[in-house]
Amino acid sequence: MSGNTFGTLFRVTSFGESHGPAIGCVVDGCPPGLPLAAADIQAALDRRKPGTSRHVTQRREPDTVEILSGVFEERTTGAPVALLIRNRDQRSRDYNDIADTFRPGHADYTWWQKYGIRDYRGGGRASARETAVRVAAGAIARKWLAERFGVGIRGCVAQIGEVAVPFGSWDEVGRNPFFVSNAALLPRLETYLDELRREGDSIGARLSIVASGVPVGWGEPVFDRLDADIACAMMGINAVKGVEIGAGFASVSQRGSVHGDELTREGFLSNNAGGVLGGVSSGQDIVVSLAVKPAASIRIARRSINRAGDAVTVGTEGRHDPCVGIRAVPVAEAMLALVLIDHALRHRAQCGDVQTATPKIAGSVDGRRGA
Amino acid sequence: MSGNTFGTLFRVTSFGESHGPAIGCVVDGCPPGLPLAAADIQAALDRRKPGTSRHVTQRREPDTVEILSGVFEERTTGAPVALLIRNRDQRSRDYNDIADTFRPGHADYTWWQKYGIRDYRGGGRASARETAVRVAAGAIARKWLAERFGVGIRGCVAQIGEVAVPFGSWDEVGRNPFFVSNAALLPRLETYLDELRREGDSIGARLSIVASGVPVGWGEPVFDRLDADIACAMMGINAVKGVEIGAGFASVSQRGSVHGDELTREGFLSNNAGGVLGGVSSGQDIVVSLAVKPAASIRIARRSINRAGDAVTVGTEGRHDPCVGIRAVPVAEAMLALVLIDHALRHRAQCGDVQTATPKIAGSVDGRRGA
Amino acid sequence: MSGNTFGTLFRVTSFGESHGPAIGCVVDGCPPGLPLAAADIQAALDRRKPGTSRHVTQRREPDTVEILSGVFEERTTGAPVALLIRNRDQRSRDYNDIADTFRPGHADYTWWQKYGIRDYRGGGRASARETAVRVAAGAIARKWLAERFGVGIRGCVAQIGEVAVPFGSWDEVGRNPFFVSNAALLPRLETYLDELRREGDSIGARLSIVASGVPVGWGEPVFDRLDADIACAMMGINAVKGVEIGAGFASVSQRGSVHGDELTREGFLSNNAGGVLGGVSSGQDIVVSLAVKPAASIRIARRSINRAGDAVTVGTEGRHDPCVGIRAVPVAEAMLALVLIDHALRHRAQCGDVQTATPKIAGSVDGRRGA
Amino acid sequence: MSGNTFGTLFRVTSFGESHGPAIGCVVDGCPPGLPLAAADIQAALDRRKPGTSRHVTQRREPDTVEILSGVFEERTTGAPVALLIRNRDQRSRDYNDIADTFRPGHADYTWWQKYGIRDYRGGGRASARETAVRVAAGAIARKWLAERFGVGIRGCVAQIGEVAVPFGSWDEVGRNPFFVSNAALLPRLETYLDELRREGDSIGARLSIVASGVPVGWGEPVFDRLDADIACAMMGINAVKGVEIGAGFASVSQRGSVHGDELTREGFLSNNAGGVLGGVSSGQDIVVSLAVKPAASIRIARRSINRAGDAVTVGTEGRHDPCVGIRAVPVAEAMLALVLIDHALRHRAQCGDVQTATPKIAGSVDGRRGA
């Protein structure tokens, strides 16, 4: 099937193109009785909204969300919640230049060969604009996870290009346009990105996402492990090329006597596992790291071919993010929320009657170490 | 649902515990008419079979596979293919010591809290023994992919602990017990692992898996992207903590003008994408890298708790792999095959009628660079 | 999951309530390149539109459909096609009377107990209004089935209450407000329904739906048989209480020597199978019959309880169909189309390479016998 | 996908052919902690076992089931439960006569055209033998439904050919080879079936299946309604051509003022709904009726074609059921159990926190009226 539905029980079906009339989604399987208003979703959308600083695309979209169904007297009814976001700023400029050519590093070539037709305007369905929908759906998931289980999800940019950002504080993340946790790096990042923009180039980024308060027991081995579904969700975000859980690639050179997190009645003594053991949540923070590649739409001219297969050079003018990783933070947080609520529901479906006498030990890791 | 089925159209449902009567799977959705005999599957199983060298678990299992259904006169009929592998070497020793305690870094604690009951014998369902089933199912997928599309899948161990292995040749991989491509490193690895075994410790590994000959067009955006499903499949293998496609985390510090693989009529000029663009295969090699953590079952005693929540120390005697990453190579190859055949079928379901006049450009990257 | 998605590969996700802002759906998995305009869908919607005669609900809804995505330059792109229908005529009258009570024969009681909250306005999500969405999605499926395979789908009302309608001609069906094939019965049906309306009562109906031109081979045994999925689709329409394929319940008293349709090179000699053998289409007409119960919303007062569990009497004023079966014809046709396109795609996914030397024998049955 | 998996959360994946080495299934998603032994399943299998009277096939199969996984110390662990039944009595006679021809009313022709290969021995995968697996899986579902919710499922043959059987008592059903509830009809049925066997013909049957104790609230509108999934499950049983819920086709001529079951605090006053309103269980008995066609394998010679398309006559010697409907009773009971447990789990996944102050009114209908 064309894979535009995410989740098994909490299901998000996404639609829409960058320059079509609208984008949106249907959220099916939301537990009934959850207090929900458009404002709850709008707040999340505003965090990833374009045009908020000179360091992201200058496209002006209000991203106003309308709830079309599934909510009655400001509570969810258990019926599908449809969300609609009208596209407003479809710049009228001519796209014919890119209609016929394929940008290196972009979906242009592969989608064209797969479907034999493509809406090239602004990248069409392949545009990062589609991720607004995930943020909107994720907002519903986050609200339920917070109210029902006290789960909190936070993310930040941990590295942009060569510039690694030592973790500062979660509070700082919301105060700057780069979603970084450490204000000391801001001047350097400003210069770095201004430079890139001048050069008409783009750069990658590393993101760190942490979920706190996840109870032990979520995840469905052997295939639908919590970490496997998280990896799927993260790698399914535009431009992501790598995913780590906990120690990730560092575990390659770790010894078992170091990697394995020791258990005490007071909690785990470390979190190399990143909150997932045997594909099931441990009660510790879920710690995810991802690599976002540099955007393919850059001004610098590069070699490519056109539909006829002839050699051409392609440079993309227009309103693009020099570092798409920045606005990917709310998207990655949302995807993690979607995975978690889905597994919360799956777990109680099969194991709703399970109880053990064994104490549920506290996770010992704070967000800081997680990041 | 309990997640023991993998795939959407080519579906593998796995069952079995380490010390139960048998392990096996049902493969549903296999195209009819594929020549298939038990020997085809047995060859694959023998590659990951335990007890083949002193560097892997000494458990002796013939891993003899029986085809129970779906094959008639040595060709698949389109009906489900059930595969059965009887467990033979269930060492009779007493497991009561681990029955009551939780190994650091192992599924013991999380599965116990999730299910309220567990088959602790040899790890039960959480044992790496379950992965034999994936190799068996993958053998069917690989055969069809090879015969129908000429797809070839190869993998090797690229790093064990601190020992990185520069790529040598694919031919070498089959000749040594470490699945490495470079014979020059063998003496060092032997010493390294003998040392570890003496110390009763374990170590992680990095694997590289490459699929060649995959045509352009496989993958189902926006959620079921080829790379997303590969990430899910790889992170779903026991002990995997990280997954990269193509440049992976290296893309964090790459510029767009470097990362984006240029296209020419003769082929792509690089493969930072790892063969996937916009979630759809490009025709280049699919290049996957994964991090495998060190095994949790080690002799070195570590702190933990028991079912009652009391502090204990746990050290695991018995027949364990000092580096589980080694035998994970055939498993990862198999999982990649399962993802690819599933997407081959999904693609032709929706896009079976698509044709374009645009030439399908050759992938330019050889397995070597991929690895 | 809340079950608002229909289909495996051609997937329709429905949303919306009777008196909310809008109803609609997302159609995912549509093959790319299909010519499609809003007008194609509008024509289908107009057939089931309310208020077209005094014999159906007098609610006035233009049912104007907007295509929000998945179509570019009037052809499908393979991306999800989102369809939106705004609700216009939400009568402002007070619903508080039914907010608190449960209509006999209606979803009121069961949905309230399941979800603990309900949008009672006009039946909310349980309203037959939701079926407009199925008709819209079905229009896309029908267009592809017709253009790709020459499949045609027709339906009619075969019985209303005690009045059985001998099959006349398909042409007649479109000419009268009852979707019957035989004009001779019209005067009697007019009187019959006027009578019912005066009495404030409702009545059931039997529908006959026929698909012609379906090639041999569609259906996925052993569980996802074509007839099983048709039964699911039909029983999933509001108010349907029975489904038959081919001879249906008449086969109970048939002998094997009568029931089994003989094969000749020129075609089958009968169609007791209703076009499905062993869960797979035979090439004959797919013949489906269904029973639609009388509507629960009637003026006649009946005994029930309210939310507090106290005894009440309930009579429903307002704009209701005395025979909901009438407008169910386009809905049933649409659902059959959705099942067929889904199986067309599923079949070519697994069996796209299958060829036999055996001639595909012609179906011998005309629509008339089908009905 | 090839549709050999049934269910969304409680998933049964079936495999095996009539004359292959074995049949069986994997049951995934079973709640952990359920007491389960092979004997629990064996008892159910013995009810549908062939060769128990002269009125069913004389094939001798012990149908001994082996539990391969998912059970530890006689309780389910939450891991997949694999069940294996070896085929014993594969009569060695030559099948070449039917290998090349297509039985009227049988899957022979359609499966051959679909797959291009078929295991013709004893019907291969299309054989009713496959249904033993459903009974085995259903036994697990029934045990959980009974222990967790007190749900009971019973079925009987209500009509064989022209012989309708007025409901007698459920106790009688287990005492005769026809699964009928009324001993008075036994002599007539014996004669009737002996006659058919002499003539080498077969006959259809009508079955009635009733589930008691199902709580209000199971079912997932708008598509995955409880009745829709029941219809799918029943129509998915070999040879079933019609399904009714409650009043079924009788509702066509019912008035709304008669059909709608009135509610009182003491319970519903009738059960025309058959225990399902708006696709959700009402707390009344779930009442299902189904039509089973006469078996296609009969001795009487009939016209058909062979693989080359040439005209032939086909008569089937061998061990066949003159009325396959008889042994379908335990199969239909099992399928109903599979639908119910799946919806029990789906319901608590989404609505596990729902509570209402409205009393859950008693179902007023006993099994007798149900049948």
Side-chain angles (χ1 to χ4, degrees), chain C residues 16-357:
Chain C
E17 287 83 37
S18 174
H19 285 52
I23 58 175
C25 66
V26 181
V27 178
D28 196 18
C30 184
L34 177 71
L36 186 70
D40 298 318
I41 299 165
Q42 199 61 58
L45 282 169
D46 293 344
R47 282 184 69 219
R48 80 160 279 294
K49 203 167 62 178
T52 51
S53 88
R54 72 177 186 279
H55 304 294
V56 297
T57 170
Q58 292 309 293
R59 176 172 178 170
R60 304 281 171 201
E61 283 290 351
D63 279 354
T64 308
V65 66
E66 180 185 11
I67 299 177
L68 296 176
S69 65
V71 175
F72 181 59
E73 295 173 346
E74 302 223 312
R75 288 195 301 144
T76 58
T77 62
V81 179
L83 303 177
L84 184 70
I85 301 171
R86 292 277 175 186
N87 290 324
R88 299 296 179 200
D89 181 12
Q90 302 108 304
R91 187 76 62 90
S92 58
R93 69 185 175 73
D94 180 18
Y95 280 96
N96 292 347
D97 51 343
I98 73 165
D100 199 47
T101 60
F102 309 120
R103 284 163 286 181
H106 199 283
D108 295 340
Y109 172 74
T110 55
W111 286 36
W112 168 252
Q113 292 287 29
K114 180 180 183 67
Y115 297 111
I117 176 176
R118 72 185 232 267
D119 177 351
Y120 47 77
R121 300 167 305 160
R125 181 74 180 148
S127 166
R129 172 136 189 79
E130 172 269 329
T131 60
V133 163
R134 310 187 186 196
V135 171
I140 300 175
R142 293 174 80 152
K143 195 160 193 295
W144 187 81
L145 287 165
E147 296 187 5
R148 181 68 173 73
F149 290 99
V151 170
I153 299 172
R154 294 176 294 193
C156 64
V157 171
Q159 184 174 344
I160 295 180
E162 302 79 21
V163 188
V165 183
F167 189 83
S169 81
W170 286 115
D171 298 340
E172 174 56 33
V173 177
R175 298 197 199 105
N176 64 74
F178 305 107
F179 287 89
V180 295
S181 63
N182 191 329
L185 274 294
L186 295 179
R188 178 151 174 217
L189 290 171
E190 303 242 344
T191 322
Y192 188 74
L193 286 169
D194 290 339
E195 177 87 12
L196 272 167
R197 225 169 27 254
R198 262 192 305 281
E199 298 172 5
D201 211 342
S202 62
I203 192 71
R206 190 168 72 76
L207 276 49
S208 178
I209 316 294
V210 179
S212 309
V214 175
V216 62
W218 294 357
E220 301 298 328
V222 294
F223 294 119
D224 302 349
R225 294 162 188 256
L226 186 61
D227 42 2
D229 282 358
I230 290 171
C232 184
M234 296 303 166
M235 198 69 90
I237 298 171
N238 312 35
V240 171
K241 301 301 289 184
V243 182
E244 295 180 307
I245 306 288
F249 280 88
S251 60
V252 169
S253 50
Q254 282 180 320
R255 304 228 157 175
S257 55
V258 172
H259 178 89
D261 307 304
E262 294 184 300
L263 297 76
T264 72
R265 194 174 192 118
E266 295 63 44
F268 290 88
L269 298 183
S270 55
N271 190 14
N272 288 299
V276 186
L277 284 167
V280 173
S281 61
S282 67
Q284 293 214 74
D285 283 1
I286 308 284
V287 181
V288 186
S289 179
L290 45 152
V292 184
K293 75 178 186 182
S297 296
I298 55 176
R299 223 166 54 242
I300 295 173
R302 310 206 64 218
R303 281 172 294 182
S304 185
I305 60 173
N306 61 19
R307 284 199 207 175
D310 305 324
V312 296
T313 62
V314 185
T316 317
E317 298 301 328
R319 310 162 297 175
H320 302 292
D321 293 85
C323 178
V324 287
I326 295 173
R327 290 198 301 135
V329 170
V331 179
E333 291 171 10
M335 292 308 296
L336 183 54
L338 293 179
V339 172
L340 290 174
I341 192 172
D342 194 38
H343 277 282
L345 300 181
R346 290 176 71 170
H347 174 65
R348 80 175 175 187
Q350 184 185 19
C351 300
D353 298 324
V354 172
Q355 284 171 342
T356 73

Side-chain angles (χ1 to χ4, degrees), chain A residues 1-2 4 8-9 11 14-17 21 28-29 32 66 68-70 72 77-80 82 84 86 115 118 121, chain C residues 1-2 4 8-9 11 13-17 21 26 28-29 32 66 68-70 72 77-80 82 86 115 118 121:
Chain A
M1 86 203 72
S2 191
N4 293 284
T8 296
L9 293 182
R11 300 166 64 72
S14 159
F15 68 84
E17 288 82 36
D28 197 17
E66 180 184 11
L68 296 176
S69 66
F72 180 60
T77 62
L84 184 70
R86 291 277 175 185
Y115 297 111
R118 75 184 229 268
R121 301 166 305 161
Chain C
M1 87 203 71
S2 193
N4 292 284
T8 296
L9 293 183
R11 299 166 65 72
T13 301
S14 159
F15 68 85
E17 287 83 37
V26 181
D28 196 18
E66 180 185 11
L68 296 176
S69 65
F72 181 59
T77 62
R86 292 277 175 186
Y115 297 111
R118 72 185 232 267
R121 300 167 305 160

